[in-house]
Amino acid sequence: IRLGFRPNLEKHILKIKIAEAPGRFKYQSVNTMLLGLVIKRTTGKHLAAYLEEKLWKPLGTESYATWNIVSKKRKMEIASSAINATARDFAKLGRLFLKKGKWNNTQIVDSAWINTIASIDTMNIYGDYKNQWWSRKI
């Protein structure tokens, strides 16, 4: 929660030190925020626009989704959470997962990513969290 109250979150994220040595795991929301920043800088788009283009429109969602932002001035999405959508549109995301990333015969999400997060074997190696996905309720 404190992350969202930083005056310049982007600057703060870039200063954070790595908390665990490679091979060790400790979940931190800021890691997802950093990933969101990487996506924003590499695509030149805000996360909401990128999500709309790559996922929301191809799924044919019925409603606009919103993503909570840190501030109106900076318009940086809270990448680690805060996507708001209808239950029906979230159900489409669930169906996309069940269909191994395919929607209407178009591969929207890499099936290898879905296979990795769906595999009990790989989750047992890494714990309950892998590739931005929780395997069970914590």
Side-chain angles (χ1 to χ4, degrees):
I1 291 174
R2 290 186 314 204
L3 258 159
F5 292 104
R6 300 267 179 191
N8 188 339
L9 183 57
E10 196 168 310
K11 184 177 174 183
H12 174 74
I13 289 170
L14 294 173
K15 289 182 179 180
I16 291 177
K17 304 271 188 262
I18 295 172
E20 293 293 331
R24 295 189 51 164
F25 172 75
K26 178 181 178 186
Y27 176 80
Q28 294 180 296
S29 297
V30 73
N31 294 338
T32 306
M33 294 293 291
L34 178 60
L35 177 60
L37 185 55
V38 168
I39 292 169
K40 179 182 173 186
R41 288 187 173 190
T42 55
T43 65
K45 300 175 182 178
H46 282 277
L47 284 178
Y50 190 72
L51 176 79
E52 181 180 10
E53 174 191 326
K54 298 294 183 180
L55 197 60
W56 223 243
K57 283 185 178 179
L59 283 176
T61 56
E62 297 178 14
S63 302
Y64 289 107
T66 61
W67 205 327
N68 293 9
I69 56 174
V70 174
S71 72
K72 287 182 182 179
K73 179 181 176 184
R74 301 208 191 287
K75 296 183 181 173
M76 183 177 182
E77 294 90 348
I78 302 171
S80 57
S81 63
I83 296 175
N84 310 289
T86 64
R88 186 167 280 163
D89 288 340
F90 276 131
K92 287 184 176 187
L93 287 174
R95 187 172 182 138
L96 178 69
F97 176 82
L98 290 172
K99 292 184 168 270
K100 304 287 187 196
K102 238 181 205 186
W103 192 262
N104 294 333
N105 295 319
T106 301
Q107 197 71 42
I108 296 174
V109 176
D110 185 359
S111 61
W113 179 81
I114 291 177
N115 289 335
T116 299
I117 62 167
S119 167
I120 291 173
D121 294 336
T122 58
M123 278 301 202
N124 285 339
I125 293 168
Y126 297 100
D128 296 333
Y129 183 80
K130 184 176 181 195
N131 295 0
Q132 302 303 114
W133 196 269
W134 286 103
S135 66
R136 62 181 176 194
K137 188 176 180 180
I138 57 169

